[in-house]
């Protein structure tokens, strides 16, 4: 009861911040999330938002992350709500995580995945580094990447749905590279795909439940996950860092900063997952 009262007191303070000229107070998982959520919120309802990147635990410590955000789920409204990364919660159909609950989520694994949307990324790449874009196509690379991770990723979802992921999820994420060698990037990443495929399949085959796994039986009818776009739903930090690393290498002699001038500029409406984020925020705010 003491902890509940402590959370409630903070929630009342957050709810009242709109009296100080803010449209709403928004609890995020971390300060690095502000860029994405403010960009989207300015599209929905321009103005000032009070971004809460951490709050106090019962012991008085500064606490971050999804679980800290969700401590306030009983006290949310249009003046104080939560914006967080979906991680695997959306794909696993975790209840109570919708705009009706005053919770906005990314639908992709995290906000980083949105900046890696292949069509927008390649278009921006061609506009700023045309010669490099003629040698490397992120659309081809990310489709190949997705084809490789798709089945192992379904197996991860299968294990998570049964509460049996144990160490598998950790090992899966460790195997998602954040860099690539020059040789691996030839032919839009063919050698990269092969090396990643070998590692992921070995991880799966070493698991005792792999022989009984049927990927066609996974209930994914309400998600956008496909064999060609799995890069949007695996751990976004890994994908973002990999794309940033590749792009900086390709643009090295161009005078263009790939990360700041290309990668972080590709957030555009028209991508279905981003449109769903926007629709959720409209529902919450209006």
């Amino acid at each position: 009861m003491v902890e509940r009262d402590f959370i409630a007191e903070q929630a009342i303070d957050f709810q009242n911040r709109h009296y100080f000229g803010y449209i709403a107070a928004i609890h995020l998982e971390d300060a690095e999330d502000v860029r994405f959520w403010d960009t989207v919120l300015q599209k929905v309802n321009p103005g000032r938002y009070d971004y809460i990147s951490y709050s106090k635990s019962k012991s008085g410590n500064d606490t971050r992350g999804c679980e800290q955000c969700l401590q306030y789920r009983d006290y949310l409204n249009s003046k104080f709500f939560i914006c967080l990364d979906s991680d695997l919660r959306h794909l696993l159909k975790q209840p109570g995580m919708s705009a009706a609950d005053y919770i906005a989520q990314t639908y992709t694994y995290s906000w980083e995945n949105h900046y890696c949307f292949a069509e927008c990324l390649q278009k921006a790449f061609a506009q700023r580094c045309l010669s490099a874009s003629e040698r490397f196509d992120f659309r081809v690379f990310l489709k190949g990447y997705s084809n490789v991770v798709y089945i192992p990723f379904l197996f991860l979802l299968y294990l998570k749905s049964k509460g049996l992921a144990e160490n598998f999820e950790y090992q899966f994420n460790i195997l998602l590279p954040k860099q690539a060698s020059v040789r691996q990037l030839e032919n839009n990443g063919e050698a990269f795909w092969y090396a990643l495929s070998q590692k992921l399949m070995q991880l799966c085959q070493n698991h005792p439940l792999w022989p009984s796994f049927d990927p066609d039986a996974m209930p994914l009818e309400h998600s956008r996950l496909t064999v060609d776009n799995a890069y949007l739903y695996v751990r976004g930090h890994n994908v973002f860092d990999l794309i940033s690393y590749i792009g900086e290498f390709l643009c090295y002699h161009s005078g263009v900063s790939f990360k700041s001038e290309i990668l972080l500029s590709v957030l555009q409406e028209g991508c279905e997952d981003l449109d769903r984020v926007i629709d959720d925020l409209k529902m919450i705010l209006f």
Side-chain angles (χ1 to χ4, degrees):
M1 182 62 67
V2 174
E3 183 173 0
R4 170 70 68 171
D5 291 344
F6 182 77
I7 293 296
E9 289 174 5
Q10 290 185 89
I12 292 170
D13 173 54
F14 298 150
Q15 291 168 4
N16 289 337
R17 293 189 183 182
H18 73 280
Y19 291 119
F20 297 91
Y22 296 104
I23 294 174
I26 302 170
H27 205 311
L28 306 176
E29 296 182 66
D30 198 271
E32 66 180 6
D33 301 352
V34 171
R35 181 185 185 121
F36 170 80
W37 287 107
D38 189 63
T39 299
V40 180
L41 280 159
Q42 296 305 324
K43 294 176 182 288
V44 174
N45 190 17
R48 294 176 66 214
Y49 294 88
D50 187 10
Y51 294 106
I52 303 161
S53 59
Y54 64 91
S55 48
K56 297 292 184 180
S57 67
K58 179 182 176 181
S59 61
N61 295 323
D62 293 345
T63 308
R64 297 168 174 79
C66 172
E67 295 307 316
Q68 179 65 14
C69 290
L70 295 176
Q71 291 284 326
Y72 302 92
R73 66 190 314 162
D74 292 338
Y75 307 99
L76 304 176
N77 55 37
S78 62
K79 299 303 180 185
F80 168 50
F81 56 93
I82 293 169
C83 292
L84 44 70
D85 292 334
S86 295
D87 294 338
L88 302 180
R89 287 183 291 271
H90 173 60
L91 293 177
L92 294 173
K93 302 178 182 177
Q94 182 174 329
M97 303 286 289
S98 70
D101 304 295
Y102 296 102
I103 297 174
Q105 61 177 306
T106 55
Y107 290 102
T108 57
Y109 187 100
S110 67
W111 61 264
E112 287 101 330
N113 301 83
H114 280 290
Y115 287 100
C116 299
F117 188 77
E119 293 294 331
C120 299
L121 178 61
Q122 187 63 23
K123 180 179 179 181
F125 185 39
Q127 289 173 342
R128 298 306 306 270
C129 291
L130 179 59
S131 60
S133 71
E134 291 172 344
R135 300 192 306 272
F136 190 89
D137 193 324
F138 281 106
R139 295 167 299 185
V140 177
F141 176 76
L142 287 168
K143 181 178 179 180
Y145 179 99
S146 295
N147 290 180
V148 164
V149 303
Y150 181 69
I151 295 299
F153 183 57
L154 290 186
F155 185 51
L156 169 59
L157 292 176
Y158 170 75
L159 295 176
K160 289 278 286 186
S161 69
K162 295 183 174 298
L164 299 172
E166 297 177 350
N167 194 46
F168 185 89
E169 183 175 12
Y170 173 78
Q171 294 297 332
F172 178 90
N173 288 332
I174 286 292
L175 290 177
L176 298 180
K178 297 181 182 180
Q179 297 182 2
S181 69
V182 175
R183 186 186 67 81
Q184 288 179 323
L185 297 181
E186 294 175 359
N187 297 318
N188 293 308
E190 285 184 1
F192 177 92
W193 305 331
Y194 178 78
L196 180 57
S197 177
Q198 294 293 104
K199 294 175 181 178
L200 288 175
M201 290 310 298
Q202 182 173 0
L203 176 66
C204 292
Q205 291 165 0
N206 287 340
H207 197 284
L209 292 182
W210 175 250
S212 62
F213 171 61
D214 179 6
D216 295 327
M218 291 296 294
L220 297 170
E221 64 273 11
H222 298 301
S223 78
R224 290 189 60 248
L225 172 65
T226 71
V227 67
D228 290 335
N229 71 6
Y231 73 94
L232 293 172
Y233 305 101
V234 298
R235 189 168 185 262
H237 184 68
N238 296 58
V239 178
F240 184 91
D241 282 0
L242 174 64
I243 297 304
S244 180
Y245 181 88
I246 294 172
E248 294 291 356
F249 167 74
L250 294 171
C251 294
Y252 183 70
H253 294 294
S254 68
V256 173
S257 170
F258 179 86
K259 182 177 179 179
S260 61
E261 298 180 51
I262 298 176
L263 184 56
L264 289 173
S265 74
V266 299
L267 198 64
Q268 298 181 21
E269 294 179 61
C271 306
E272 187 173 334
D273 284 324
L274 185 59
D275 289 345
R276 294 177 74 179
V277 176
I278 291 172
D279 288 343
D280 283 352
L281 291 171
K282 288 178 179 177
M283 184 181 298
I284 291 172
L285 287 167
F286 301 114

